[in-house]
Short mmCIF file of all heavy atoms in Angstrom, two decimals:
data_model
loop_
_atom_site.label_atom_id
_atom_site.label_comp_id
_atom_site.label_asym_id
_atom_site.label_seq_id
_atom_site.Cartn_x
_atom_site.Cartn_y
_atom_site.Cartn_z
N PRO A 1215 10.79 -5.73 4.32
CA PRO A 1215 9.33 -5.67 4.30
C PRO A 1215 8.75 -5.40 5.68
O PRO A 1215 9.24 -5.90 6.69
CB PRO A 1215 8.92 -7.06 3.82
CG PRO A 1215 10.11 -7.58 3.08
CD PRO A 1215 11.30 -6.99 3.79
N ALA A 1216 7.69 -4.58 5.71
CA ALA A 1216 7.00 -4.29 6.97
C ALA A 1216 5.50 -4.21 6.70
O ALA A 1216 5.07 -3.81 5.61
CB ALA A 1216 7.50 -2.97 7.56
N LEU A 1217 4.71 -4.58 7.69
CA LEU A 1217 3.26 -4.52 7.57
C LEU A 1217 2.77 -3.08 7.48
O LEU A 1217 3.29 -2.20 8.17
CB LEU A 1217 2.60 -5.17 8.78
CG LEU A 1217 2.72 -6.69 8.89
CD1 LEU A 1217 2.19 -7.16 10.24
CD2 LEU A 1217 1.97 -7.37 7.76
N VAL A 1218 1.75 -2.85 6.66
CA VAL A 1218 1.06 -1.56 6.65
C VAL A 1218 0.06 -1.61 7.80
O VAL A 1218 -0.81 -2.49 7.82
CB VAL A 1218 0.34 -1.32 5.31
CG1 VAL A 1218 -0.45 -0.01 5.36
CG2 VAL A 1218 1.34 -1.29 4.17
N PRO A 1219 0.16 -0.70 8.76
CA PRO A 1219 -0.71 -0.74 9.94
C PRO A 1219 -2.19 -0.60 9.59
O PRO A 1219 -2.55 0.20 8.72
CB PRO A 1219 -0.25 0.46 10.78
CG PRO A 1219 1.08 0.85 10.24
CD PRO A 1219 1.12 0.40 8.82
N GLY A 1220 -3.02 -1.38 10.28
CA GLY A 1220 -4.47 -1.23 10.16
C GLY A 1220 -5.10 -1.85 8.94
O GLY A 1220 -6.28 -1.63 8.69
N LEU A 1221 -4.36 -2.62 8.16
CA LEU A 1221 -4.94 -3.25 6.97
C LEU A 1221 -5.00 -4.75 7.14
O LEU A 1221 -4.06 -5.47 6.81
CB LEU A 1221 -4.13 -2.91 5.72
CG LEU A 1221 -4.24 -1.51 5.17
CD1 LEU A 1221 -3.48 -1.40 3.86
CD2 LEU A 1221 -5.67 -1.09 4.97
N ASP A 1222 -6.11 -5.24 7.67
CA ASP A 1222 -6.36 -6.66 7.75
C ASP A 1222 -7.42 -7.00 6.71
O ASP A 1222 -8.24 -6.15 6.35
CB ASP A 1222 -6.86 -7.04 9.14
CG ASP A 1222 -5.81 -6.82 10.21
OD1 ASP A 1222 -4.62 -7.00 9.92
OD2 ASP A 1222 -6.19 -6.43 11.33
N ASN A 1223 -7.41 -8.19 6.21
CA ASN A 1223 -8.40 -8.66 5.24
C ASN A 1223 -8.27 -8.01 3.87
O ASN A 1223 -9.27 -7.70 3.23
CB ASN A 1223 -9.82 -8.51 5.78
CG ASN A 1223 -10.03 -9.31 7.04
OD1 ASN A 1223 -9.64 -10.48 7.10
ND2 ASN A 1223 -10.60 -8.71 8.06
N ALA A 1224 -7.05 -7.80 3.42
CA ALA A 1224 -6.82 -7.28 2.07
C ALA A 1224 -7.11 -8.39 1.06
O ALA A 1224 -6.78 -9.55 1.28
CB ALA A 1224 -5.39 -6.79 1.91
N LYS A 1225 -7.71 -8.01 -0.06
CA LYS A 1225 -8.03 -8.98 -1.10
C LYS A 1225 -7.14 -8.80 -2.32
O LYS A 1225 -6.69 -9.77 -2.92
CB LYS A 1225 -9.50 -8.81 -1.50
CG LYS A 1225 -10.00 -9.80 -2.49
CD LYS A 1225 -11.49 -9.62 -2.70
CE LYS A 1225 -12.04 -10.67 -3.65
NZ LYS A 1225 -13.49 -10.49 -3.83
N PHE A 1226 -6.85 -7.56 -2.70
CA PHE A 1226 -6.08 -7.27 -3.90
C PHE A 1226 -5.32 -5.97 -3.69
O PHE A 1226 -5.86 -5.03 -3.11
CB PHE A 1226 -7.03 -7.14 -5.10
CG PHE A 1226 -6.33 -6.89 -6.40
CD1 PHE A 1226 -5.73 -7.92 -7.10
CD2 PHE A 1226 -6.27 -5.62 -6.92
CE1 PHE A 1226 -5.08 -7.68 -8.30
CE2 PHE A 1226 -5.62 -5.37 -8.12
CZ PHE A 1226 -5.03 -6.40 -8.81
N VAL A 1227 -4.10 -5.92 -4.17
CA VAL A 1227 -3.28 -4.71 -4.02
C VAL A 1227 -2.69 -4.34 -5.38
O VAL A 1227 -2.33 -5.21 -6.17
CB VAL A 1227 -2.18 -4.91 -2.95
CG1 VAL A 1227 -1.25 -6.03 -3.33
CG2 VAL A 1227 -1.41 -3.63 -2.71
N THR A 1228 -2.65 -3.04 -5.66
CA THR A 1228 -2.04 -2.55 -6.88
C THR A 1228 -1.40 -1.20 -6.60
O THR A 1228 -1.74 -0.54 -5.62
CB THR A 1228 -3.06 -2.46 -8.04
OG1 THR A 1228 -2.37 -2.18 -9.26
CG2 THR A 1228 -4.10 -1.38 -7.77
N ALA A 1229 -0.48 -0.81 -7.45
CA ALA A 1229 0.20 0.47 -7.26
C ALA A 1229 0.71 0.98 -8.58
O ALA A 1229 0.87 0.21 -9.54
CB ALA A 1229 1.35 0.32 -6.27
N LYS A 1230 0.99 2.26 -8.61
CA LYS A 1230 1.62 2.87 -9.77
C LYS A 1230 2.79 3.72 -9.27
O LYS A 1230 2.72 4.94 -9.27
CB LYS A 1230 0.64 3.72 -10.56
CG LYS A 1230 1.26 4.20 -11.86
CD LYS A 1230 0.43 5.22 -12.54
CE LYS A 1230 1.11 5.70 -13.79
NZ LYS A 1230 2.36 6.41 -13.54
N GLY A 1231 3.82 3.07 -8.80
CA GLY A 1231 5.05 3.75 -8.42
C GLY A 1231 4.98 4.58 -7.17
O GLY A 1231 5.66 4.30 -6.21
N ASP A 1232 4.12 5.60 -7.16
CA ASP A 1232 4.12 6.51 -6.01
C ASP A 1232 2.78 6.58 -5.28
O ASP A 1232 2.58 7.42 -4.43
CB ASP A 1232 4.58 7.91 -6.44
CG ASP A 1232 3.77 8.47 -7.59
OD1 ASP A 1232 2.78 7.83 -8.03
OD2 ASP A 1232 4.11 9.56 -8.07
N PHE A 1233 1.84 5.71 -5.62
CA PHE A 1233 0.63 5.58 -4.82
C PHE A 1233 0.15 4.14 -4.86
O PHE A 1233 0.51 3.38 -5.74
CB PHE A 1233 -0.47 6.56 -5.25
CG PHE A 1233 -1.13 6.24 -6.58
CD1 PHE A 1233 -2.33 5.56 -6.62
CD2 PHE A 1233 -0.56 6.65 -7.76
CE1 PHE A 1233 -2.94 5.28 -7.83
CE2 PHE A 1233 -1.16 6.39 -8.98
CZ PHE A 1233 -2.37 5.68 -9.01
N THR A 1234 -0.66 3.77 -3.86
CA THR A 1234 -1.08 2.39 -3.67
C THR A 1234 -2.58 2.33 -3.44
O THR A 1234 -3.14 3.18 -2.76
CB THR A 1234 -0.36 1.77 -2.46
OG1 THR A 1234 1.05 1.94 -2.64
CG2 THR A 1234 -0.66 0.31 -2.29
N LEU A 1235 -3.22 1.31 -4.00
CA LEU A 1235 -4.65 1.05 -3.80
C LEU A 1235 -4.82 -0.39 -3.34
O LEU A 1235 -4.17 -1.28 -3.88
CB LEU A 1235 -5.43 1.25 -5.10
CG LEU A 1235 -5.34 2.62 -5.75
CD1 LEU A 1235 -5.97 2.59 -7.14
CD2 LEU A 1235 -5.99 3.67 -4.89
N VAL A 1236 -5.71 -0.60 -2.37
CA VAL A 1236 -5.97 -1.95 -1.87
C VAL A 1236 -7.47 -2.16 -1.80
O VAL A 1236 -8.20 -1.37 -1.20
CB VAL A 1236 -5.35 -2.16 -0.46
CG1 VAL A 1236 -5.72 -3.53 0.08
CG2 VAL A 1236 -3.85 -1.99 -0.50
N LEU A 1237 -7.94 -3.24 -2.43
CA LEU A 1237 -9.33 -3.66 -2.31
C LEU A 1237 -9.41 -4.57 -1.10
O LEU A 1237 -8.69 -5.58 -1.01
CB LEU A 1237 -9.77 -4.41 -3.57
CG LEU A 1237 -11.17 -5.03 -3.52
CD1 LEU A 1237 -12.24 -3.95 -3.38
CD2 LEU A 1237 -11.40 -5.88 -4.75
N MET A 1238 -10.28 -4.20 -0.17
CA MET A 1238 -10.44 -4.99 1.04
C MET A 1238 -11.53 -6.05 0.81
O MET A 1238 -12.36 -5.91 -0.08
CB MET A 1238 -10.82 -4.08 2.21
CG MET A 1238 -9.83 -2.94 2.46
SD MET A 1238 -8.14 -3.48 2.77
CE MET A 1238 -8.34 -4.19 4.40
N GLN A 1239 -11.54 -7.09 1.61
CA GLN A 1239 -12.51 -8.16 1.44
C GLN A 1239 -13.94 -7.70 1.65
O GLN A 1239 -14.88 -8.29 1.10
CB GLN A 1239 -12.17 -9.34 2.35
CG GLN A 1239 -10.91 -10.03 1.87
CD GLN A 1239 -10.56 -11.28 2.66
OE1 GLN A 1239 -11.38 -11.84 3.36
NE2 GLN A 1239 -9.32 -11.71 2.53
N ASP A 1240 -14.14 -6.60 2.38
CA ASP A 1240 -15.50 -6.08 2.58
C ASP A 1240 -15.95 -5.16 1.44
O ASP A 1240 -17.02 -4.58 1.48
CB ASP A 1240 -15.61 -5.35 3.92
CG ASP A 1240 -14.78 -4.08 4.00
OD1 ASP A 1240 -14.13 -3.70 3.01
OD2 ASP A 1240 -14.78 -3.46 5.08
N GLY A 1241 -15.10 -5.00 0.40
CA GLY A 1241 -15.45 -4.19 -0.76
C GLY A 1241 -14.98 -2.75 -0.69
O GLY A 1241 -15.08 -2.03 -1.69
N THR A 1242 -14.47 -2.30 0.44
CA THR A 1242 -13.95 -0.94 0.52
C THR A 1242 -12.58 -0.89 -0.15
O THR A 1242 -11.92 -1.91 -0.33
CB THR A 1242 -13.83 -0.43 1.98
OG1 THR A 1242 -12.94 -1.30 2.69
CG2 THR A 1242 -15.18 -0.39 2.67
N VAL A 1243 -12.18 0.33 -0.53
CA VAL A 1243 -10.88 0.53 -1.14
C VAL A 1243 -10.07 1.48 -0.27
O VAL A 1243 -10.58 2.54 0.14
CB VAL A 1243 -11.01 1.10 -2.57
CG1 VAL A 1243 -9.65 1.42 -3.17
CG2 VAL A 1243 -11.77 0.12 -3.46
N LYS A 1244 -8.84 1.12 0.02
CA LYS A 1244 -7.91 1.96 0.77
C LYS A 1244 -6.89 2.52 -0.21
O LYS A 1244 -6.53 1.86 -1.19
CB LYS A 1244 -7.20 1.17 1.87
CG LYS A 1244 -8.13 0.48 2.85
CD LYS A 1244 -8.84 1.47 3.73
CE LYS A 1244 -9.66 0.73 4.78
NZ LYS A 1244 -10.26 1.65 5.73
N ALA A 1245 -6.39 3.73 0.07
CA ALA A 1245 -5.42 4.37 -0.82
C ALA A 1245 -4.44 5.20 -0.01
O ALA A 1245 -4.78 5.70 1.06
CB ALA A 1245 -6.16 5.26 -1.82
N TRP A 1246 -3.22 5.35 -0.54
CA TRP A 1246 -2.22 6.22 0.09
C TRP A 1246 -1.10 6.52 -0.89
O TRP A 1246 -0.97 5.86 -1.91
CB TRP A 1246 -1.69 5.62 1.39
CG TRP A 1246 -0.94 4.34 1.23
CD1 TRP A 1246 0.41 4.19 1.01
CD2 TRP A 1246 -1.46 3.02 1.29
NE1 TRP A 1246 0.74 2.85 0.94
CE2 TRP A 1246 -0.40 2.12 1.10
CE3 TRP A 1246 -2.74 2.50 1.50
CZ2 TRP A 1246 -0.56 0.74 1.11
CZ3 TRP A 1246 -2.90 1.13 1.49
CH2 TRP A 1246 -1.83 0.27 1.31
#
Side-chain angles (χ1 to χ4, degrees):
L1217 290 172
V1218 176
L1221 287 186
D1222 295 326
N1223 299 314
K1225 184 174 183 179
F1226 182 80
V1227 61
T1228 189
K1230 188 190 178 295
D1232 55 5
F1233 71 97
T1234 306
L1235 302 170
V1236 176
L1237 174 64
M1238 304 302 289
Q1239 291 184 18
D1240 66 3
T1242 60
V1243 175
K1244 303 291 185 174
W1246 64 90

